[in-house]
Amino acid sequence: MCGRYTLTVTLEELMLRYWIEEARFPFHQPKYNVAPGQQVFAVIHDGTKRRLGQLKWGLVPPWADDPKIGFKMINARAETAAAKPAFAEPIRRKRCLIPADGFYEWKKQGNGKQPMRIALRDRAVFSFAGLYEIWEAPDGSRISSCTILTTEPNSLMSPIHDRMPVILDPADEPLWLERRPLDTGELNRIFKPYDADKLEAYPVTPAVGKADFDSPECIKPYRQDEQLELF
């Protein structure tokens, strides 16, 4: 699964990376510990151009009685998403890019777990394959939400976890944003595990387990003999 990630670049860098002409956000504060339920950046194509906006992480289907269901839908298995009621329509026509520059996963170690940060070796921004949906409450209020697709792990991730997020090859990003159903061949290529040689994993502070701990300390390499002072 993918339950935490990072996006530490500036808004200007995001706009340049995704060819965004304008954004409605006055600023973007670097995020070192993005958690489910938070508003996250996403890129969609509106039929004319790319747009950068914010979606709540945890997809809420239009038919849901309670938006809290979103906390159970932060991820969707790429292999079965098209057959699931919550994801069938989004995977056909409501696909998005979710920018990140790293993500966290917890590796079993002895009697505990060591959080690891996984990032591109060159530390560049990359895109998770995301799906989005819009839920409307009886009073007319709306929640725009998203989920991150996951796939089988590559050789780097398999010792850490049995799943990993779908990371898009930059060349496939325009295809993923197209507003049409993709065929099986296109989806299978996109959903394959990302090249392990382009990724790096390293241990980080256990403090990333706290969703409200959002600090540059989150992404620093960590030794078990170190102790982070939180206060």
Side-chain angles (χ1 to χ4, degrees):
M1 64 176 292
C2 176
R4 299 288 178 83
Y5 69 92
T6 64
L7 183 61
T8 64
V9 299
T10 65
L11 179 59
E12 290 75 16
E13 289 173 300
L14 270 184
M15 293 176 66
L16 182 62
R17 166 64 173 79
Y18 290 99
W19 296 81
I20 302 296
E21 297 178 0
E22 60 180 356
R24 300 177 180 178
F25 311 98
F27 63 91
H28 159 58
Q29 183 176 350
K31 297 288 291 183
Y32 300 94
N33 196 4
V34 182
Q38 296 179 358
Q39 294 290 120
V40 302
F41 276 117
V43 177
I44 67 168
H45 200 285
D46 64 6
T48 303
K49 62 182 183 301
R50 290 185 176 188
R51 292 172 50 195
L52 178 68
Q54 289 187 311
L55 301 171
K56 187 174 182 179
W57 186 11
L59 189 140
V60 183
W63 42 259
D65 294 326
D66 188 338
K68 291 180 181 178
I69 193 175
F71 285 100
K72 298 180 180 180
M73 297 192 181
I74 64 170
N75 293 150
R77 294 177 70 94
E79 303 92 329
T80 59
K84 300 294 183 181
F87 308 128
E89 179 59 22
I91 205 169
R92 285 172 52 82
R93 302 185 185 278
K94 297 178 181 178
R95 301 182 295 267
C96 62
L97 309 177
I98 300 179
D101 55 15
F103 64 96
Y104 300 113
E105 196 53 78
W106 277 253
K107 180 180 181 180
K108 290 184 179 179
Q109 195 171 73
N111 295 325
K113 292 185 178 182
Q114 170 61 53
M116 307 289 290
R117 183 178 186 238
I118 299 91
L120 292 181
R121 289 187 177 277
D122 63 5
R123 298 300 189 268
V125 173
F126 56 84
S127 302
F128 294 131
L131 308 175
Y132 72 92
E133 192 55 276
I134 299 174
W135 178 84
E136 186 170 340
D139 64 3
S141 61
R142 292 186 171 189
I143 295 176
S144 299
S145 59
C146 64
T147 189
I148 295 173
L149 289 163
T150 66
T151 188
E152 295 179 352
N154 59 24
S155 58
L156 176 76
M157 286 298 300
S158 57
I160 300 173
H161 200 273
D162 62 358
R163 302 291 293 175
M164 69 177 292
V166 174
I167 298 174
L168 294 168
D169 186 298
D172 286 329
E173 291 177 0
L175 176 64
W176 186 248
L177 288 180
E178 289 187 13
R179 296 159 62 87
R180 65 169 177 88
L182 302 181
D183 63 39
T184 301
E186 291 170 324
L187 290 175
N188 288 342
R189 188 183 77 250
I190 287 173
F191 292 160
K192 67 182 181 181
Y194 198 74
D195 187 350
D197 292 335
K198 296 180 180 180
L199 297 172
E200 179 183 8
Y202 63 93
V204 294
T205 173
V208 301
K210 298 179 180 291
D212 59 352
F213 184 69
D214 189 0
S215 161
E217 294 289 338
C218 290
I219 65 173
K220 291 182 178 180
Y222 175 79
R223 298 195 314 269
Q224 288 188 331
D225 59 350
E226 292 179 329
Q227 290 187 355
L228 177 65
E229 293 185 6
L230 299 179
F231 305 102

